[in-house]
């Protein structure tokens, strides 16, 4: 389910913090502390350090705690991995103006999140800055889009 997907590997954990930071006026450190509180509320003890076992529901709760709202936009979790869109394919079809958090994976082991708005992207490789999307670096090409969330 949605809540069981871990955000794995150090650069991807940092990316998720950067994405939420970019959609709010909070620093990645403040986002990490909000994630710690969200996990505690659901009976999980985590520290404020970057981790590899976040729960996606914690991310969405932090959006709410920052005064935002989210709505599931697209769900490909039941689509066979090989038939899901790559990040490049998804972005080519979604250059809309609405902010979105995009959750990707490699068929269940590695999770990744990035933010997109107005045809721009915020990700680890953009160093937290909004840049016009052209294509993902080779190191992200193995990922495919699993779920997207509109954020306001």
């Amino acid at each position: 389910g949605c809540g069981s997907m871990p955000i794995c590997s150090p650069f991807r954990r940092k990316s998720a913090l950067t994405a939420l930071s970019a959609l709010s006026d909070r620093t990645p450190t403040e986002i990490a502390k909000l994630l710690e509180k969200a996990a505690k509320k659901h009976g999980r003890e985590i520290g404020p350090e970057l981790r590899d076992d976040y729960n996606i529901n914690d991310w969405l709760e932090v959006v709410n705690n920052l005064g935002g709202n989210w709505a599931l936009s697209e769900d490909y979790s039941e689509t066979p991995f090989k038939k899901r869109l790559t990040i490049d394919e998804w972005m080519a079809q979604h250059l809309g103006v609405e902010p979105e958090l995009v959750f990707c994976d490699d068929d269940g082991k590695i999770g990744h999140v990035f933010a997109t708005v107005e045809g721009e992207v915020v990700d680890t490789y953009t160093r937290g800055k909004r840049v016009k999307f052209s294509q993902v670096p080779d190191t992200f090409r193995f990922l495919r889009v699993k779920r997207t969330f509109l954020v306001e």
Side-chain angles (χ1 to χ4, degrees), residues 63-82:
V63 169
N64 290 338
N65 291 344
L66 292 171
N69 293 300
W70 59 269
L72 181 65
S73 178
E74 298 171 56
D75 185 349
Y76 301 105
S77 60
E78 301 300 318
T79 303
F81 179 76
K82 295 285 187 197

Side-chain angles (χ1 to χ4, degrees), residues 21-88:
S21 182
L23 294 177
S24 69
D25 59 356
R26 303 295 181 96
T27 67
T29 300
E30 290 172 309
I31 298 295
K33 288 179 182 171
L34 290 170
L35 284 165
E36 181 181 12
K37 284 183 185 175
K40 187 170 191 152
K41 180 177 172 184
H42 298 286
R44 292 184 310 279
E45 291 291 332
I46 65 171
E49 73 282 353
L50 293 174
R51 313 178 52 83
D52 61 5
D53 60 350
Y54 287 120
N55 184 304
I56 276 188
N57 292 320
D58 295 340
W59 293 102
L60 299 175
E61 185 165 327
V62 168
V63 169
N64 290 338
N65 291 344
L66 292 171
N69 293 300
W70 59 269
L72 181 65
S73 178
E74 298 171 56
D75 185 349
Y76 301 105
S77 60
E78 301 300 318
T79 303
F81 179 76
K82 295 285 187 197
K83 292 188 177 182
R84 291 177 8 208
L85 298 177
T86 65
I87 295 172
D88 286 345

Side-chain angles (χ1 to χ4, degrees), residues 108-120:
K109 297 176 196 78
I110 294 175
H112 178 70
V113 59
F114 68 93
T116 180
V117 61
E118 297 174 348
E120 296 178 331

Side-chain angles (χ1 to χ4, degrees), residues 87-106:
I87 295 172
D88 286 345
E89 291 166 340
W90 187 87
M91 285 295 294
Q93 298 175 19
H94 296 81
L95 298 178
V97 296
E98 298 296 321
E100 282 190 80
L101 286 177
V102 181
F103 291 89
C104 310
D105 74 357
D106 71 340

